[in-house]
Every structure is written in C-alpha cells, then in structure tokens.
Amino acid sequence: MGINSNRVENFSGPACLKTTTGTVVTIPLDMAMPPLQVHKVALPQPRTTVQKLRHRLSEIFFPDDPLHKFKNQTWYRKLVLGLQFFFPIFQWAPNYSFKLLKSDVISGLTIASLAIPQGISYAKLANLPPIVGLYSSFIPPLIYSVLGSSKHLAVGPVSIASLVMGTMLSESVSYSEEPILYLQLALTATFFAGLFQASLGFLRLGFSIDFLSKATLVGFMAGAAVIVALQQLKGLFGIVHFTNKMQLIPVLSSVFHHRDEWSWQTIVMGVSFLVLLLTTRQISIRKPKLFWVSAAAPLASVILSTILIVCLKSKVHGIQTIGHLPKGLNPPSLNMLYFHGPHLALSMKTGIVTGILSLTEGIAVGRTFATLKNYQVDGNKEMMAIGLMNMAGSCSSCYVTTGSFSRSAVNYNAGAQTVVSNIIMATAVLVTLLFLMPLFYYTPSFILAAIIITAVIGLIDYWAAIRLWKVDKLDFLACMCSFLGVLFISVPLGLAIAIGVSIFKILLHITRPNTAVLGNIPSTQIYQNLNRYREAVRVPSFLILSVEAPIYFANSTYIQERILRWIREEEEWIETNNRNSIKCVILDMTAVTAIDTSGIDTIKELRKLLEKRSLKFVLANPVGSVMEKLHQSNILESFGLEGLYLTVGEAVADISSLWKAQP
C-alpha cells in the first residue's frame, strides 16, 4: 500500500515540510497551524423511541414527503388535492386547451402508427394470438391516462416483457397444443404482475426495484435483444419448425438445422424490408426532426408488404401470413383467470418477473422524459398506475404492458403535451379493431419479424458498456455477467444473475468499505487522503485514519483488522525512515453514518488493544445517530475528555498542546 512520504517534522514548532523531491521547506508556525478553539461534541436532541421509529419510517417510505401540499389547507382544498394526488387527470384537465389537443392528436396518431404493428408483433413474441397485442394497446393506455403522472409515456406491449413471458410459460405449457390454457396463464400472469406492481406502489416499496442497477440492466437488455432478434430468424427465413428454447446455441442450431425450410422469396422480401426499417431508424437518429420517418415506417411496411403478398399470392407460395383476426372490442376475460390448479405457481412466478421488468422499464422511461421537460414523476404513483392498468387489462384480454422507450421517444419528439396522446392512440387502435381487422389477413410474418428486430436493436447500448469499462470495471463485470447469463443460460436466470450481481456489489461495498490515511494540507485545517492529495503531509506522532462507511456487524471485523494493519504499516515506515513513533491514533468518523452494537464493540476492542500498546485512541466528528449510540453504550466514559473531538484539526491541536505542556 503506497503512502505519501511527505511529513511535517515538527508540528508544535515551525513545520518542516519534506517534499517528494527531497527539498525541505520551513513553514512558520502561524501558517502551519493557527490556534484552534476546542468545541464540545454535542448529543442530538433527545427523542422517544416512538419518535425515532416514526422519523425512520418516514425517511424510508416517504422521503419525498408527498403530503406536504395538504398542510394548512381547508377540507375542500384537501379533497381536491386528494383527487389530484390519486387521479392526476384532475390536475391537468381543468387547464387543458385546444392548442394542447392539437399537439396531442398529432403525437397520438404518430405513435398509433407504431403501436399497431408493434402490438401484433410483440404478441407473437409472447406466443399469444396477434389480436391480444392490439387489445393490449387499447384498454391499458386509457387507464394510464387517468392514473399516470408522466406526460410522455406511451403505453403498450414491450419486447422484453413479451419475450420473458413467452419463455417462462412455454417451458411448461405448449402454446400450440394447449392454446386456451396458455392464454389463461398469460392473463393470470398479467394479473399477478399488476397486483405486485400496485402493491409495491401502495406500500411505497419502490426502492426494492433499485436492486436492478443500470449496469446489470444494460447487459440484460442487450442479451435479451440478441435472443429476440435471433428468434425472429424463424419468420425472416420462413422456417416452420423452430426451437422454443431461448439460448444462443440452440437458436442458432435450429436456424441451420432447418436449412431445407428456408424460403428464398421470404428471405429476399424480409431482408429488404428489414434494411428499409433500419435505414429509416438511422435517418431519425441522425436527424431528430425527421422522427416521423421511423415512426411511420413500420405501419407503412405492413401495408406495403400486405399489398405485395396479395399481388403475388398466386405466384409465390409458402409465405406465412397472420391470417384471420377477429373484429370487435376486447372481450372480458375475468372468467379466464387461472387461480387454482398445478400451473398457478408458474403464473405467479411469471407475473412477478415480468412485473419487475416492465416496472423498471416504465419508470425509467417516464423519468427520462420528465427530466428533459423539467417535471417530476412520482415513482410510487407510477407503480400503482401501471399495476392497476395491468390488473384491469388482465380482465379485458390484455397481457403485460408498460411504457415503451421507442414509442415514448416518438411521442416526445412528436410534441406530446399530456397523456391525451395515449387516448388518441387508443382511439386509433379502437378504429382498427372495429373496422380494419380483415386488412391484416395477408400481412406476412416476415414483416413482423423485421419490425421486432428493428425495435430491439435499440436496446443494445454498446456505448454504455464502453463507458462502464472506462469508469467502473466492477460495473462492467456485472454488465457482462447478466449479458452472458441471458445468452447462454436463460432469460429468467439471466435476470436472476443480474439481481444477484447487483446485490453482491452492494454487499462488497458494505463488507469491505474504503479506509484511508489522512494528512494535513499545510496552512489549513483540512485533512485529506494522502494518496489523493500529494500536498498533504503526515503529522508526526499521529496516525489519522478515515472509515468511509457505516460500521455494522457485516464489516466490523474487517475494519478492526484494517486499522491494525494501517498501524503496523505506519510503524514499519517509521522504523525504516527513522521518524517519530506513533503516540495517537485518530479515527475520523465523518463518513460513518451509522453504527450498531457490533460496531460499538469493535471501537471498544480497538481502544483496549491500542491502550495495551501505549497508543492513545481518539474519535473525531461522529454524526448524531452514531454519537447517540456511543453515549447510550457508555463507551465514551472510557475515552475520557481527550478522547472525543469535533474535528480532526481540533484533536491534533489539543493533544499536541497537552504533550507540549507535559514536563
């Protein structure tokens, strides 16, 4: 462990600073360390156990103080605020204008052109009837427009949740052999996803989804996107028999194993439309004002490919199409929910996993666009809105929905002002359901595959992975673990690996916190890490240490061992360089935000060990909660008057003056 060898040779008199080049600079006493007044370390204001518990629960569950608007208001005003809190539509609807409606109509119709083909495509990705994707683009957006707080979130089916649902359910139930049971399980999983999401929001447990770190999500999304794209080779190549597995090797093996089923006509047309869609996507990325090009491309491709198949159906055979789609509104599906039987656990597990993924994506997307427009999105309210939306959707033939990044980006760029854009989109889907279903009969499967591939490519954020490598190698490792886990094991286990790596990283930081040796920056009362600040110097006869984490049972043994190691290394350095021996060890507790009984025992044990070695042990600047626990444990009595100081500077100055006064 390399330590800066700069050292103040005489602290109580004029300080001699020896630099790394060997030059000795004499610093006058008044510049080296001005006299300090020693302050008493105060205890926090006394509070009862009930008051402490109330404050702690408030900080855990209500850090944003959502009820602050209700203070000092009349009962009528509180009623209005309550309606606005639970139903945000009451907040923006009274001030809604024709100008806003004009913008929302344009953006709503724009995202509808994207939502209709994507809804059909994502339903097939979940191994559900294509019509279910359109149902899921009608009811959920209407519910979100009443309950949601994001102005730009475009609600509907998403690729990752569709993939995970299809993967998990297909492992136990065949969607081709038992389509009714499969649909029942999908609807039931949607209900449990909504129940889980709404419960998290109602109980204000939104922080629980933060265990999916950005690094692990980058890897998970990229891995899932690769698997989704490879699965679409079935439709793009016209393969009839294809594996249901979702790992990289089985999917590639299935593609090449069924080469005899490849249709060159399907490949030519599918690849051509894929190139067209990717080109329009690049145009919109490079010129954001042309966002409508990529937004309109999927629906235009569906129309063109359908016309092409109709014109060539007598000449080209074997091209798979969607087939018949029933007209009409969402049929009620409450009677199809599966609450008993051998597959109930599967539905619950699938619902929770897809619920976590869709919730994470929806809230992240909502907050992203809220930041761009300088307004706030309440995470817990969003959880309740998305949860209730999915619960209601499960009763109206819809599967898991959330805020889609691609559609929300189009919604934002199209100038959406409120969630009315979701209502306009739902209206367009309604017209499609009622009157336009027969037009999709000849829509080829390869165009749906091309639309999905184009959509999921945007989930592969390799620039984010490069940034992770540059900034934090551990985050990059977490990213790669989740990426490779999805590719080679399975999507659900890849998600589990992502969460596991995130939790491991947290535990690593907790159990192995940073510790450092501090030195004084000359002519100041500032003490900083010797390795970070080359101008910082070590104070003779003192070893000043800093712990940059709470001291808990999980890290107390490590902290004790690390402090003793610092002392040993300092003594070895002193012996090698013939310097003044250590007389006092100061522990800077500025960054120690909490301590438990194990941590207190560690402090007590350290004091005893150092006392046996004739070393004085001093604590500096314990925060309020730590100071309170130290006081209640009676450990401060063993430290005495010269064992606790407000700052490191006061501790050094006072102890140095006491040594100087001794005969």
Side-chain angles (χ1 to χ4, degrees):
M1 186 66 65
I3 299 177
N4 191 340
S5 61
N6 295 351
R7 188 175 181 86
V8 176
E9 297 297 341
N10 188 345
F11 188 80
S12 58
C16 297
L17 171 61
K18 186 175 183 179
T19 66
T20 53
T21 60
T23 306
V24 178
V25 180
T26 302
I27 303 174
L29 177 61
D30 57 345
M31 290 180 60
M33 187 62 62
L36 282 179
Q37 178 184 356
V38 178
H39 298 83
K40 181 180 179 181
V41 181
L43 285 166
Q45 292 293 329
R47 293 180 299 174
T48 64
T49 302
V50 174
Q51 289 174 326
K52 293 177 185 177
L53 180 61
R54 181 180 178 183
H55 174 75
R56 189 59 182 161
L57 292 177
S58 175
E59 289 298 313
I60 293 174
F61 297 107
F62 304 97
D64 54 344
D65 190 16
L67 303 179
H68 70 281
K69 294 181 180 180
F70 292 82
K71 296 176 182 177
N72 303 320
Q73 299 291 339
T74 62
W75 282 106
Y76 174 75
R77 182 59 182 165
K78 287 181 179 179
L79 177 61
V80 173
L81 290 173
L83 286 174
Q84 293 177 349
F85 182 81
F86 290 106
F87 303 97
I89 189 173
F90 289 105
Q91 188 171 357
W92 55 262
N95 300 318
Y96 198 71
S97 64
F98 180 77
K99 182 179 179 181
L100 296 176
L101 177 62
K102 182 180 177 182
S103 299
D104 287 335
V105 167
I106 294 173
S107 58
L109 293 176
T110 304
I111 58 175
S113 67
L114 186 61
I116 292 171
Q118 280 191 352
I120 296 173
S121 304
Y122 292 158
K124 288 183 70 66
L125 186 60
N127 301 320
L128 292 168
I131 191 65
V132 175
L134 289 180
Y135 291 157
S136 303
S137 301
F138 173 50
I139 295 294
L142 293 177
I143 297 174
Y144 183 82
S145 64
V146 176
L147 301 175
S149 58
S150 172
K151 300 176 183 178
H152 301 94
L153 197 68
V155 172
V158 293
S159 58
I160 300 300
S162 301
L163 169 68
V164 172
M165 175 173 284
T167 303
M168 296 184 70
L169 293 181
S170 298
E171 290 177 352
S172 300
V173 178
S174 172
Y175 60 90
S176 57
E177 297 176 3
E178 300 177 281
I180 301 300
L181 176 60
Y182 187 90
L183 179 60
Q184 286 180 316
L185 296 180
L187 295 175
T188 308
T190 301
F191 177 84
F192 283 117
L195 181 63
F196 175 73
Q197 293 165 336
S199 299
L200 285 182
F202 181 76
L203 299 174
R204 303 191 67 83
L205 296 174
F207 58 84
S208 59
I209 66 171
D210 293 336
F211 283 108
L212 272 175
S213 67
K214 178 66 182 298
T216 54
L217 275 177
V218 168
F220 175 80
M221 292 293 189
V226 171
I227 293 297
V228 170
L230 291 176
Q231 274 282 339
Q232 301 319 301
L233 295 179
K234 172 186 177 182
L236 208 61
F237 288 4
I239 300 174
V240 178
H241 302 92
F242 201 74
T243 180
N244 292 327
K245 296 182 179 179
M246 290 291 176
Q247 295 86 19
L248 179 66
I249 295 176
V251 171
L252 290 177
S253 299
S254 182
V255 170
F256 292 102
H257 183 70
H258 296 97
R259 288 192 303 271
D260 57 319
E261 296 182 7
W262 290 10
S263 168
W264 69 266
Q265 299 98 329
T266 301
I267 294 174
V268 170
M269 288 187 284
V271 172
S272 299
F273 277 103
L274 177 61
V275 171
L276 173 65
L277 290 169
L278 291 175
T279 302
T280 59
R281 181 176 179 272
Q282 286 300 315
I283 291 173
S284 296
I285 290 175
R286 295 183 180 182
K287 295 184 178 181
K289 290 184 179 180
L290 298 178
F291 67 90
W292 55 270
V293 175
S294 62
L299 185 58
S301 298
V302 168
I303 295 172
L304 288 174
S305 62
T306 303
I307 294 174
L308 185 64
I309 296 302
V310 170
C311 295
L312 299 176
K313 65 180 180 179
S314 59
K315 299 179 180 180
V316 178
H317 303 282
I319 295 181
Q320 303 171 29
T321 60
I322 292 178
H324 174 70
L325 293 178
K327 292 169 60 176
L329 296 178
N330 301 35
S333 56
L334 181 62
N335 61 327
M336 294 189 68
L337 296 183
Y338 186 96
F339 290 132
H340 57 83
H343 300 297
L344 179 60
L346 174 64
S347 293
M348 295 178 67
K349 182 174 68 173
T350 305
I352 291 174
V353 173
T354 55
I356 291 173
L357 286 174
S358 58
L359 200 59
T360 303
E361 181 176 356
I363 292 178
V365 172
R367 285 176 173 168
T368 298
F369 293 105
T371 302
L372 294 176
K373 282 295 185 178
N374 196 29
Y375 68 92
Q376 286 187 328
V377 169
D378 188 327
N380 289 293
K381 286 168 65 176
E382 285 295 286
M383 289 179 188
M384 287 192 287
I386 294 174
L388 293 173
M389 173 182 76
N390 279 316
M391 290 176 69
S394 68
C395 300
S396 54
S397 301
C398 304
Y399 78 108
V400 173
T401 54
T402 188
S404 163
F405 184 81
S406 58
R407 288 193 294 274
S408 298
V410 170
N411 197 29
Y412 174 83
N413 290 324
Q417 300 297 316
T418 68
V419 289
V420 171
S421 60
N422 275 290
I423 299 177
I424 302 300
M425 178 190 73
T427 304
V429 174
L430 172 63
V431 172
T432 304
L433 287 169
L434 292 178
F435 306 109
L436 304 181
M437 285 295 95
L439 300 180
F440 290 98
Y441 185 89
Y442 288 106
T443 298
S445 296
F446 66 73
I447 195 62
L448 302 182
I451 289 171
I452 292 176
I453 292 174
T454 305
V456 299
I457 279 179
L459 298 176
I460 305 174
D461 192 352
Y462 56 89
W463 286 113
I466 293 173
R467 284 194 299 270
L468 290 174
W469 171 258
K470 290 180 178 179
V471 176
D472 191 328
K473 301 297 189 293
L474 189 59
D475 267 355
F476 179 78
L477 178 62
C479 173
M480 293 307 298
C481 284
S482 57
F483 175 72
L484 296 175
V486 171
L487 281 185
F488 293 102
I489 303 177
S490 71
V491 174
L493 285 178
L495 177 62
I497 290 173
I499 296 175
V501 170
S502 298
I503 294 175
F504 173 75
K505 184 181 176 183
I506 294 172
L507 293 175
L508 187 63
H509 284 302
I510 291 175
T511 58
R512 294 296 183 267
N514 290 333
T515 59
V517 176
L518 306 184
N520 175 248
I521 297 179
S523 304
T524 71
Q525 298 296 335
I526 299 173
Y527 291 81
Q528 287 292 344
N529 191 327
L530 286 169
N531 286 330
R532 286 181 57 203
Y533 294 86
R534 306 304 298 178
E535 65 271 28
V537 294
R538 296 150 78 181
V539 182
S541 303
F542 287 91
L543 176 60
I544 306 168
L545 302 174
S546 173
V547 176
E548 300 175 355
I551 303 178
Y552 287 133
F553 65 93
N555 61 18
S556 57
T557 301
Y558 168 80
I559 289 174
Q560 178 176 331
E561 293 173 350
R562 194 65 187 87
I563 289 175
L564 293 176
R565 177 184 166 187
W566 279 121
I567 295 172
R568 188 187 72 248
E569 291 176 348
E570 180 73 4
E571 289 175 338
E572 291 173 354
W573 184 90
I574 288 172
E575 184 178 352
T576 303
N577 294 273
N578 195 23
R579 305 297 184 182
N580 294 335
S581 61
I582 302 173
K583 296 181 181 179
C584 179
V585 177
I586 299 176
L587 182 62
D588 183 6
M589 303 184 72
T590 303
V592 180
T593 55
I595 194 169
D596 66 358
T597 53
S598 297
I600 293 172
D601 289 340
T602 296
I603 297 295
K604 190 183 300 182
E605 185 67 23
L606 277 171
R607 191 196 65 79
K608 291 179 180 179
L609 290 172
L610 297 182
E611 187 178 35
K612 290 178 181 179
R613 300 170 64 171
S614 300
L615 293 176
K616 186 177 183 62
F617 187 42
V618 172
L619 307 179
N621 195 27
V623 299
S625 60
V626 174
M627 181 64 185
E628 186 176 28
K629 289 186 178 180
L630 292 175
H631 175 72
Q632 291 173 344
S633 66
N634 297 322
I635 190 177
L636 296 179
E637 296 177 0
S638 60
F639 278 84
L641 295 175
E642 293 84 30
L644 187 65
Y645 290 89
L646 186 60
T647 66
V648 172
E650 290 184 7
V652 172
D654 188 54
I655 294 171
S656 297
S657 63
L658 290 174
W659 289 344
K660 187 176 180 181
Q662 290 176 356

